[in-house]
Amino acid sequence: MNTQDDQQVMHTHPYENVDPLDMLSNCQFSGTSSQVNQTYKTNSKSHGYEDTYFRYSFGNDSFYAVLDGHDGSEVAHFSRDTLVREFCRGIMLGKQNIAEVLEECISNVDKHLHDRIMPLLEERADIKVKIAGTNNSYEAYRAYPDEIHRLGEIEDQIKGGTTVAAAVIHNNTLYVANVGDSRVILCTYVPGSDSSVEFKIDQLTEDHTTANDNELDRLSQLGLNRQEIQTKRRVGSMETTRSIGDFAVKWGYKDFDILSGATGPPVISTPHVTAGLPVDKSFYFLFLMSDGVYHAVEEMSDCSSGEKNLSPDPNIRIAYLLHDELKQHRDCQRAADNVLEYICKGHFESYNSGCRGCCRRDDMTLTVRLFNNPNKLYGHKRNHSGTIFRSSFSFCSTSSGDTTTPQPRTSDRDLVDLIGSGKFTMPPLTLTNTGAPLSFNSPLPSASPLPVSPSQIHLDPDDSVDEPYIKLGDDFPDDIVMKWIIEELNLPDNITELLDKQAAV
């Protein structure tokens, strides 16, 4: 039996009054791009931008989500913040089963939203009882004009909803959950026998739509007409069979003829969960997207069915677009931006070419998380002893040609994206020859010179451009190089922790 002191200790948990949102930072290994919906004929938006997203680092964990709101953005925004708080509190309170935590969090977001609008739902029910004796909507309006007006206001406030596609990396393990039709796609690679790389592209989420046989089976078990729902492609007024919010349908499904015979709510918030995927060297990148992204690609594919080498699967097409960008730029933000720009441009060109299916596009949100650098997949030939290290910042020679002056990039992300697994190795370096002779034994503007001799500079025959790299022997002192890099770039104190963490992947 707990004493009063025990209860007081339990009540004052150190994280009880902590808002997790105050402890989060954006994940540096990811990027997100978005595009607002557009109707081409009128060159206008059908509605405001209703998607939202997050990509957070939380201690040693990472948490990503894309939420596709509909009938307004309020539910998506509420769900975004509540989902983060629910999950992070679960972790801070020591819950161990991450799959259960993630599943509970998504279900609890729906419950919190329900509790928030419960007074409106009760008022709605009371009004419906009051006007139940009327024969039709016109008669109801004449008899109860104020109540009908208020009912319309309530319907507007409770009709909003959102999908959720979420991914968590905890203790080097990937967990994914979703409700609705937003997707999470994992890309892994397997080296081919001819030094090429073959990609494996897996959708880790389940589309909760009327095109899903599992969902049709569930609806059939509620007494609904499977064929009718499949033909109309809707559950009442909704395109998805699971969501957060949408209480106008969840509570009012009896008001829809197609759903009136259901023995229980057809639209639910129970998520699909994919749990326990160990993050290893095969992980290339992960991406999350709202349905506006892959629907636009599908519509473009319908208009270009005669083209060769185009996969009809939008997941595959988007994955290879991202692969091309990541291989070239190694920048998740730039990759996401460029891919969405390409899709928007291609979709509009399809409309201009007369494709009827491309008259408008929905909001689009795309988040990319990189695990292993793509240039590493096409590793450089090791025809000399030692290790080859690739680019993280540039050197340009001065006008005198006697010394080199470091020109660090704006982001320190490149310092960690090529770190090898298992044993820590020195971060990569690139030399950019501006035409003047380079001297590699001259002291650099730092307390510690970087001792690199001209014999360690080579041209990479595998690159499309002649870019030199530094080749260092196995006995080269990593600690000296790391000290020099940290000083030159004025990096945060925890950069070595980030490097060690990535090296362990």
Side-chain angles (χ1 to χ4, degrees):
M1 181 174 180
N2 290 331
T3 65
Q4 185 174 0
D5 290 340
D6 291 334
Q7 294 173 355
Q8 179 66 19
V9 171
M10 292 171 64
H11 178 70
T12 57
H13 192 285
Y15 293 117
E16 182 176 3
N17 296 316
V18 174
D19 186 349
L21 292 179
D22 296 334
M23 304 172 63
L24 302 175
S25 59
N26 278 335
C27 172
Q28 64 175 326
F29 303 108
S30 63
T32 299
S33 186
S34 59
Q35 291 282 346
V36 70
N37 65 90
Q38 187 174 19
T39 301
Y40 300 133
K41 187 174 182 179
T42 59
N43 193 27
S44 64
K45 296 185 294 184
S46 301
H47 50 76
Y49 179 69
E50 296 175 336
D51 287 4
T52 189
Y53 67 91
F54 60 79
R55 47 185 183 90
Y56 288 132
S57 291
F58 177 68
N60 293 326
D61 301 334
S62 300
F63 195 9
Y64 314 91
V66 165
L67 301 91
D68 179 4
H70 46 265
D71 293 323
S73 61
E74 292 81 5
V75 172
H77 289 176
F78 173 85
S79 300
R80 174 196 62 199
D81 294 344
T82 307
L83 179 61
V84 174
R85 290 189 174 102
E86 285 282 313
F87 180 81
C88 291
R89 284 201 180 104
I91 298 299
M92 289 190 295
L93 295 175
K95 294 183 179 181
Q96 298 299 315
N97 192 324
I98 303 303
E100 287 186 4
V101 171
L102 190 55
E103 182 174 356
E104 289 174 2
C105 287
I106 292 178
S107 297
N108 286 342
V109 169
D110 195 67
K111 293 176 182 176
H112 288 316
L113 185 62
H114 175 271
D115 293 343
R116 189 184 186 191
I117 67 172
M118 187 64 188
L120 292 173
L121 295 172
E122 292 175 341
E123 184 181 358
R124 177 179 183 266
D126 291 341
I127 293 175
K128 284 187 172 290
V129 169
K130 186 174 184 178
I131 66 176
T134 57
N135 295 321
N136 53 56
S137 58
Y138 176 73
E139 184 177 320
Y141 180 77
R142 292 198 62 183
Y144 304 100
D146 293 340
E147 287 81 356
I148 295 299
H149 177 72
R150 177 57 183 160
L151 187 62
E153 292 178 336
I154 294 174
E155 296 288 356
D156 286 340
Q157 295 179 62
I158 68 174
K159 68 181 181 180
T162 187
T163 71
V164 176
V168 172
I169 301 172
H170 176 76
N171 288 342
N172 236 25
T173 304
L174 174 65
Y175 304 84
V176 170
N178 82 290
V179 292
D181 57 359
S182 296
R183 294 178 178 177
V184 178
I185 312 296
L186 175 64
C187 297
T188 55
Y189 67 91
V190 178
S193 59
D194 58 350
S195 300
S196 63
V197 174
E198 297 177 357
F199 288 94
K200 187 169 181 281
I201 302 168
D202 293 310
Q203 180 173 328
L204 303 183
T205 48
E206 184 172 298
D207 292 345
H208 296 136
T209 68
T210 57
N212 185 329
D213 287 337
N214 292 331
E215 289 299 278
L216 290 174
D217 289 343
R218 181 178 65 82
L219 296 174
S220 296
Q221 292 172 4
L222 295 175
L224 299 179
N225 187 314
R226 179 190 183 108
Q227 185 62 44
E228 185 179 9
I229 291 176
Q230 194 171 17
T231 300
K232 292 188 176 181
R233 300 182 179 179
R234 286 183 172 269
V235 182
S237 60
M238 295 185 56
E239 296 180 354
T240 57
T241 56
R242 303 192 189 199
S243 70
I244 289 177
D246 292 307
F247 293 108
V249 178
K250 289 179 179 176
W251 268 58
Y253 64 91
K254 295 289 185 180
D255 296 336
F256 297 89
D257 290 340
I258 194 173
L259 305 179
S260 59
T263 58
V267 179
I268 59 177
S269 61
T270 305
H272 171 270
V273 178
T274 300
L277 300 178
V279 178
D280 57 27
K281 294 180 181 180
S282 70
F283 276 42
Y284 179 5
F285 65 92
L286 183 83
F287 64 98
L288 302 82
M289 59 181 171
S290 58
D291 71 330
V293 180
Y294 63 82
H295 282 324
V297 174
E298 287 174 333
E299 291 159 1
M300 291 163 56
S301 299
D302 291 342
C303 296
S304 56
S305 57
E307 294 185 31
K308 297 181 179 180
N309 302 322
L310 284 181
S311 170
D313 186 338
N315 294 349
I316 294 176
R317 294 191 65 181
I318 295 166
Y320 272 91
L321 288 172
L322 287 169
H323 160 66
D324 289 341
E325 290 292 330
L326 290 171
K327 185 184 176 187
Q328 182 177 358
H329 303 300
R330 298 189 314 247
D331 186 324
C332 288
Q333 185 60 56
R334 186 171 179 179
D337 287 340
N338 288 351
V339 167
L340 279 200
E341 183 178 345
Y342 170 85
I343 293 172
C344 289
K345 181 179 179 181
H347 197 265
F348 182 66
E349 289 176 350
S350 295
Y351 164 75
N352 282 335
S353 67
C355 178
R356 295 183 179 181
C358 293
C359 59
R360 63 174 301 274
R361 57 174 174 77
D362 201 0
D363 295 330
M364 298 194 296
T365 303
L366 177 64
T367 292
V368 184
R369 203 287 193 186
L370 180 63
F371 293 94
N372 284 308
N373 191 281
N375 289 326
K376 198 174 180 181
L377 308 185
Y378 301 91
H380 304 286
K381 295 180 180 179
R382 299 170 182 262
N383 44 12
H384 299 281
S385 61
T387 305
I388 297 173
F389 299 93
R390 299 299 300 164
S391 62
S392 68
F393 56 89
S394 298
F395 286 85
C396 293
S397 61
T398 61
S399 57
S400 64
D402 294 328
T403 60
T404 57
T405 303
Q407 296 184 348
R409 295 178 181 175
T410 57
S411 172
D412 62 14
R413 189 200 179 299
D414 286 337
L415 282 172
V416 294
D417 66 1
L418 289 182
I419 300 302
S421 63
K423 181 181 177 181
F424 174 75
T425 55
M426 190 197 84
L429 303 173
T430 293
L431 301 176
T432 301
N433 193 339
T434 59
L438 297 175
S439 173
F440 298 99
N441 291 318
S442 302
L444 297 166
S446 168
S448 301
L450 183 63
V452 180
S453 67
S455 63
Q456 292 172 307
I457 306 303
H458 306 270
L459 286 179
D460 188 350
D462 295 331
D463 276 358
S464 58
V465 295
D466 290 334
E467 182 183 49
Y469 61 78
I470 297 178
K471 176 179 173 295
L472 302 172
D474 290 330
D475 57 347
F476 194 85
D478 289 349
D479 55 340
I480 293 179
V481 179
M482 274 306 303
K483 183 176 184 296
W484 185 85
I485 291 173
I486 292 173
E487 289 178 354
E488 285 301 315
L489 296 185
N490 192 26
L491 298 176
D493 293 337
N494 68 338
I495 187 64
T496 54
E497 296 177 9
L498 297 173
L499 293 171
D500 290 337
K501 186 192 309 181
Q502 185 72 2
V505 175

